[in-house]
């Protein structure tokens, strides 16, 4: 498929009756989510991120608008488009145009940001474009515990959330939910106890606690959680359950999951049977963890095609990609997935 120009008017969104049918009968779209890395550039230097650890090989780039338009068939087949990969999405010069095109397709649109670039003007664009979820990345509940996110001042992120909340309310943008995407490192589990109060104070709708699933350096393994670490998992689960209860009392949704030693390993937390990831260069992978933008490739890289060379839905339906998904569903995944904690989460 080849696009001849940049006129988004050439892309037909769902018609009136299609929209009515989806509203009353639910969407029949085969994909739950299409995750798109609109930029691999990032101002942060988080100690646990491959962007920091592999900085000498990192390829900072923005997805071209022409490449994004090639995703149109997949966008029309998806319930949600999530604009974020290994970089800061708001650094993309085409970020809002891409979001608007996804909204035209009738998709819910979301993103995850470090929060450094949000001011009142940016906040208004976010509300006006029709995002339904904006998640802010944190790894602590104060400057000290969040210090692992080097280059990301905790006070600035806090202010950015407050700014977006203020604009959201002023513009009556009640379609927009503000989330916190929280990275829980094993050395800072106690900080999670303060999450509910902070979220309540900021008026955040939901907190999603994740763990270090991709370990870019062996020295970081102690910060991750694996199915075999029973005592470590039990201690973390107790704190998470306590925080979940506190959040519920404040009206804040609180989501978390840890690997289980008794999990069969035949599912993926990334929902690869109904979603996939497209990197900033157009390369298609099952998830973000197997497609890092680094020079010379990566031993754990898994790509099934590039949308600049093949139709995106042809790549999704490709036999090798289909077999990959089927093998995981039968509990015998590809080598690259065998040790991934996401296989062992609820």
């Amino acid at each position: 498929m080849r696009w001849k120009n940049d006129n988004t008017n050439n892309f037909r969104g769902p018609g009136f009756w299609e929209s009515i049918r989806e509203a009353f009968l639910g969407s029949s779209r085969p994909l739950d989510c299409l995750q798109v890395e609109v930029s691999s550039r990032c101002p942060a230097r988080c100690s646990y991120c491959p962007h920091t650890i592999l900085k000498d090989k990192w390829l900072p780039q923005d997805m071209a608008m022409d490449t994004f338009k090639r995703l149109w068939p997949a966008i029309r087949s998806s319930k949600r488009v999530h604009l974020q990969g290994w970089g800061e999405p708001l650094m993309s010069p085409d970020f809002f145009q891409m979001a608007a095109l996804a909204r035209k397709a009738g998709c819910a649109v979301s993103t995850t940001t470090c929060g450094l670039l949000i001011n009142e003007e940016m906040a208004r664009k976010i509300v006006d474009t029709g995002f339904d979820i904006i998640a802010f990345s944190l790894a602590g509940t104060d400057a000290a515990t969040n210090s692992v996110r080097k280059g990301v001042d905790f006070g600035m992120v806090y202010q950015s959330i407050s700014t977006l909340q203020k604009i959201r309310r002023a513009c009556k943008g009640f379609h927009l939910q503000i989330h916190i995407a929280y990275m829980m490192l094993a050395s800072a589990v106690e900080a999670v106890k303060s999450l509910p109060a902070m979220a309540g104070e900021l008026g955040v709708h939901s907190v999603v606690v994740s763990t270090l699933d991709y370990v870019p350096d062996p020295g970081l393994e102690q910060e991750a959680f694996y199915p075999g670490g029973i005592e470590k998992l039990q201690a973390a689960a107790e704190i998470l359950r306590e925080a979940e209860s506190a959040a519920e009392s404040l009206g804040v949704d609180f989501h978390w999951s840890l690997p289980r030693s008794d999990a069969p390993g035949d599912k993926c937390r990334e929902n690869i049977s109904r979603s996939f990831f497209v990197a900033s260069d157009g390369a298609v992978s099952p998830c973000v963890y197997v497609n890092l933008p680094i020079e010379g490739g990566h031993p754990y890289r898994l790509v099934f095609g590039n949308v600049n060379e093949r139709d995106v839905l042809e790549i999704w339906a490709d036999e090798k990609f289909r077999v990959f998904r089927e093998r995981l569903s039968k509990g015998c995944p590809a080598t690259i997935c065998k040790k991934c904690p996401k296989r062992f989460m609820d």
Side-chain angles (χ1 to χ4, degrees), residues 177 179-182 192 195 205-211 240 243-244 247 252-258 269:
Q177 288 198 0
H179 292 193
I180 290 177
Y182 192 88
V192 173
L195 254 180
H205 298 87
S206 182
V207 173
V208 180
V209 179
S210 300
T211 55
L240 286 163
E244 183 179 10
V252 177
D253 291 335
F254 194 93
H255 305 275
W256 61 276
S257 184
L258 291 171
R269 187 74 171 171

Side-chain angles (χ1 to χ4, degrees), residues 42-121:
C42 186
R45 303 183 303 281
C46 302
S47 63
Y48 52 83
C49 182
H51 173 260
T52 302
I53 294 168
L54 303 174
K55 61 182 180 181
D56 293 337
K57 297 181 179 180
W58 199 259
L59 297 173
Q61 57 189 347
D62 298 321
M63 176 177 279
M65 192 63 198
D66 183 64
T67 299
F68 186 81
K69 289 179 179 180
R70 295 174 195 271
L71 301 178
W72 179 253
I75 293 172
R76 286 285 281 116
S77 299
S78 301
K79 297 175 184 176
R80 172 176 298 281
V81 173
H82 187 70
L83 301 176
Q84 184 254 344
W86 286 111
E88 168 53 47
L90 291 177
M91 295 188 77
S92 165
D94 297 315
F95 177 75
F96 287 104
Q97 187 180 359
M98 291 172 173
L101 188 57
R103 288 290 296 128
K104 183 174 184 178
C107 298
V109 183
S110 54
T111 192
T112 304
T113 176
C114 69
L116 294 181
L117 303 178
I118 292 183
N119 51 29
E120 290 195 2
E121 180 184 0

Side-chain angles (χ1 to χ4, degrees), residues 147-219:
S147 62
V148 291
R149 291 181 58 79
K150 300 183 187 304
V152 183
D153 181 76
F154 179 82
M156 287 185 66
V157 180
Y158 199 95
Q159 183 58 49
S160 292
I161 297 174
S162 299
T163 297
L164 181 57
Q165 186 68 275
K166 181 182 74 172
I167 297 300
R168 170 186 168 273
R169 289 168 176 164
C171 297
K172 294 182 172 56
F174 302 124
H175 57 278
L176 174 64
Q177 288 198 0
I178 300 174
H179 292 193
I180 290 177
Y182 192 88
M183 173 61 70
M184 185 182 73
L185 300 179
S187 63
V189 174
E190 289 287 328
V192 173
K193 294 179 179 179
S194 302
L195 254 180
M198 184 183 73
E201 181 177 319
L202 288 166
V204 166
H205 298 87
S206 182
V207 173
V208 180
V209 179
S210 300
T211 55
L212 191 63
D213 302 309
Y214 180 82
V215 181
D217 184 89

Side-chain angles (χ1 to χ4, degrees), residues 63 130 134 203 215 242 271 331:
M63 176 177 279
I134 302 294
V215 181
E242 179 184 330
N271 189 24

Side-chain angles (χ1 to χ4, degrees), residues 7 18 36 70 75 93 95 98 111 133 137 165 174 176 201 211 227 239 246 260 266 273 276 290 308 310 317 336:
N7 188 356
E18 183 179 356
V36 183
R70 295 174 195 271
I75 293 172
F95 177 75
M98 291 172 173
T111 192
I133 296 174
S137 297
Q165 186 68 275
F174 302 124
L176 174 64
E201 181 177 319
T211 55
I239 290 174
R260 291 175 24 230
D266 58 355
S273 63
F276 62 92
V290 294
N308 292 302
R310 293 175 62 193
I336 196 171

